[in-house]
Amino acid sequence: MKNLVRMKILIVDDDPVVKELIKNMLAKDGYRNIQTAGSGEEALKMMQKALPDLVVLDIQLPGMKGYDVSQKMRANKSTADIPILMMTGEVLDADKELEKSFRSGVTDFITKPIKKIEFTARVKAALTIKRNYNLMKKELNKRKLSKKIIKKKVWLNVLPGDIWIKVQRGKTVWNALQNTEIELDGDCGGLGKCGKCKIRVITPLGRPSKETLELLEPKELEQGVRLACRTKILKNLAIYTEELNGETEFFQILKHGHMPPVELDPLVERRLVTIPPPSLENSLSDVHRIRDELSPEFQDLKTTYRCLSNLYKNLRTTNFDGAAVIHNNCLLEWQSRESIGGVFGLIFDLGTSTLVGKLVNLLEGQEVAVISRFNSQRKYGSDVISRIQYIKGHPKHLVHLQKLLVSDLNLITKRLVESFKLKLKDIMVAVAAGNTTMQHFMLSLDPSGIAEAPFTPLITEGMT
Ligand code: FES
């Protein structure tokens, strides 16, 4: 009630006696912000200057009727939400007038002659609704505003590569650079504990965070060095980071060295075969006829779908005289006899910090190109235990780590294939090996068991 009495009430009636009577009733109840108007037109004009919280409106007004005023108020955005208490009296066509009033959007009715107890109760109810409505509107506006602020995007400029990234305001630099080619050091997965994710902020600096103050030297702070995982991007920000992208991390590792004599047993073999073309006498399937021409050990030879999808064309363009590329009792491809390429495989060494990819000529067992790069998972911890902590209880984090690994392997593959001017289809098989945790990450299997007693992995053997 304390707040209600301060709310603004506009009484609209052409009868000065009624206006005075109502004013007195309200004043006795403590209402002190009361205005009056003698006609609908005057009331609407007054509302253009200041909005009331309640309009007490007579139905029978000279000129505009009460329901006309109500209709106009509802049609106007600024007055549409103001409650209207309509005063009705004995009129000739009472029902019709009431119906019009209902349709025009009045909130409540009271019949003349007005009884104080009923009138003040209705005024109080209407003002309470209006007050609650105002509060709700204020709250909604606040939320909309904060949503707008949160949604607002700002620019992050990363130097010296002059890379521009549009990010959501409030994100940390660390988070903004995730899923980009720009890599930052960091063993704690962005928890503000290792002090390794250093960047230099070039635009005006805010106060360093508590962790930044603890982990960085005063001299570094003076030079604008900050921790990426503790630096929020609140407005357009320019930073300098040395490590620009993964490309710089590619390097060739030892290609020629001492190789002890070993007898090679290549995984893939290439057999020269001539098979009879199909005929009325021999209408066996193409695969059957290949099996028949190979030695008896291949009588249950399988094929891959990829091989089958090209087999019809390949057999006919080679005139049924070509080379069958076989791996593990499976026909991988039918090639022309002269074909020199197309029998390559990939070997990946999944190290915790470095990933190595080798392109191998499967017929000769020779490594033909080797490339390595840092493991992009490093930013979630330099050791596997930190990475397990990172994914613990967060299935999405596990998927993210696997995606990082696969994307690293794809980059290595692309570079290897390009370096030897091959096509992806020339790669027949790929093998990846790593420590148990890395194997789990590769297969997107939860390795949490490795980090807690009795330290059991999900799997230790290989998978094909
Ligand atoms: S302190 Fe930022 S990643 Fe460790």
Side-chain angles (χ1 to χ4, degrees), residues 15 92 131 151 222 273 297 349 367 372 380 402 436 453:
D15 188 338
L92 273 176
R131 184 195 55 190
K151 266 190 188 165
E222 248 172 56
V273 203
E297 59 181 299
D349 177 4
E367 288 174 12
S372 74
Y380 297 100
Q402 194 229 14
T436 314

Side-chain angles (χ1 to χ4, degrees), residues 54 101 125-126 172 181 256 263 303 347 360 389 406 428 443 449:
L54 170 68
S101 303
T172 62
E181 286 283 287
H256 304 287
E263 199 181 319
T303 48
I347 299 172
V360 181
Q389 291 303 333
V406 171
M428 299 287 163
L443 298 168

Side-chain angles (χ1 to χ4, degrees), residues 174 185-197 215 227-230 379:
W174 173 271
D185 274 340
D187 288 349
C188 67
L191 296 176
K193 292 199 163 38
C194 69
K196 289 193 176 176
C197 58
L215 293 165
L227 293 177
C229 68
R230 300 291 107 182
K379 49 183 134 175

Side-chain angles (χ1 to χ4, degrees), residues 34 48 53 64 73 125 148 161-162 213 249-250 298 336 340 356 359 362 379 381 390 414 436 438 440 457:
I34 305 162
Q48 279 172 8
D53 294 299
M64 283 177 90
M73 282 175 66
K148 255 189 208 165
D162 200 22
L213 286 170
E249 293 167 2
F250 278 105
F298 292 114
S336 72
I340 45 157
V356 182
L359 181 67
L362 294 175
K379 49 183 134 175
Y390 168 69
K414 190 165 174 271
T436 314
M438 286 306 298
H440 279 62

Side-chain angles (χ1 to χ4, degrees), residues 321-388:
D321 181 27
V325 180
I326 301 164
H327 162 65
N328 206 12
N329 201 32
C330 181
L331 179 66
L332 298 180
E333 196 169 56
W334 180 272
Q335 297 179 336
S336 72
R337 282 179 177 245
E338 307 73 45
S339 170
I340 45 157
V343 192
F344 290 91
L346 292 173
I347 299 172
F348 295 111
D349 177 4
L350 311 179
T352 309
S353 44
T354 311
L355 303 168
V356 182
K358 296 179 180 184
L359 181 67
V360 181
N361 180 328
L362 294 175
L363 295 176
E364 294 164 11
Q366 290 287 334
E367 288 174 12
V368 291
V370 184
I371 286 176
S372 74
R373 63 172 283 135
F374 288 125
N375 186 337
S376 297
Q377 293 180 343
R378 285 176 316 140
K379 49 183 134 175
Y380 297 100
S382 56
D383 56 280
V384 289
I385 299 299
S386 309
R387 288 178 211 169
I388 293 175

Side-chain angles (χ1 to χ4, degrees), residues 81-313:
D81 303 317
I82 300 170
I84 301 168
L85 178 56
M86 180 78 90
M87 297 181 289
T88 60
E90 293 294 331
V91 285
L92 273 176
D93 218 343
D95 285 347
K96 234 184 187 172
E97 300 284 88
L98 272 177
E99 194 194 328
K100 275 187 189 170
S101 303
F102 268 121
R103 284 179 192 276
S104 68
V106 299
T107 318
D108 202 356
F109 290 91
I110 187 156
T111 326
K112 285 180 181 171
I114 289 168
K115 293 182 198 99
K116 183 178 180 287
I117 189 160
E118 186 192 1
F119 179 68
T120 49
R122 288 185 190 274
V123 166
K124 194 178 162 192
L127 286 176
T128 307
I129 291 168
K130 179 69 166 87
R131 184 195 55 190
N132 294 346
Y133 178 80
N134 287 349
L135 289 173
M136 204 173 72
K137 209 168 158 189
K138 214 168 152 187
E139 185 58 28
L140 279 175
N141 282 341
K142 233 195 266 170
R143 283 189 202 174
K144 260 190 218 160
L145 199 71
S146 57
K147 254 189 194 168
K148 255 189 208 165
I149 291 168
I150 290 166
K151 266 190 188 165
K152 208 166 170 202
K153 303 255 179 168
V154 285
W155 284 103
L156 174 65
N157 180 208
V158 189
L159 297 165
D162 200 22
I163 297 163
W164 290 82
I165 307 167
K166 207 166 199 184
V167 293
Q168 229 170 47
R169 176 190 276 181
K171 256 196 175 184
T172 62
V173 173
W174 173 271
N175 284 335
L177 296 184
Q178 301 301 307
N179 303 323
T180 70
E181 286 283 287
I182 302 158
E183 292 186 358
L184 293 170
D185 274 340
D187 288 349
C188 67
L191 296 176
K193 292 199 163 38
C194 69
K196 289 193 176 176
C197 58
K198 292 177 191 173
I199 49 163
R200 193 150 58 79
V201 179
I202 294 160
T203 38
L205 284 162
R207 268 175 55 80
S209 69
K210 198 174 120 234
E211 295 88 346
T212 308
L213 286 170
E214 278 166 14
L215 293 165
L216 297 185
E217 298 293 328
K219 204 162 172 221
E220 288 178 308
L221 292 170
E222 248 172 56
Q223 289 167 353
V225 176
R226 294 288 184 270
L227 293 177
C229 68
R230 300 291 107 182
T231 305
K232 281 194 178 170
I233 311 166
L234 299 171
K235 51 189 174 182
N236 294 341
L237 187 75
I239 60 163
Y240 187 91
T241 159
E242 277 296 338
E243 221 172 11
L244 274 184
N245 61 59
E247 293 290 300
T248 54
E249 293 167 2
F250 278 105
F251 58 95
Q252 297 269 328
I253 61 168
L254 185 66
K255 282 171 74 174
H256 304 287
H258 173 67
M259 175 92 165
V262 282
E263 199 181 319
L264 290 173
D265 181 14
L267 269 177
V268 174
E269 55 182 311
R270 194 167 180 267
R271 296 223 170 181
L272 300 179
V273 203
T274 308
I275 65 163
S279 63
L280 286 176
E281 291 74 40
N282 186 353
S283 58
L284 286 173
S285 72
D286 290 343
V287 175
H288 260 97
R289 296 199 320 284
I290 294 172
R291 275 190 203 128
D292 286 350
E293 292 308 316
L294 287 167
S295 55
E297 59 181 299
F298 292 114
Q299 282 319 295
D300 56 350
L301 183 80
K302 308 269 185 307
T303 48
T304 62
Y305 179 75
R306 193 180 79 157
C307 170
L308 279 179
S309 55
N310 294 313
L311 194 58
Y312 178 86
K313 188 183 87 200

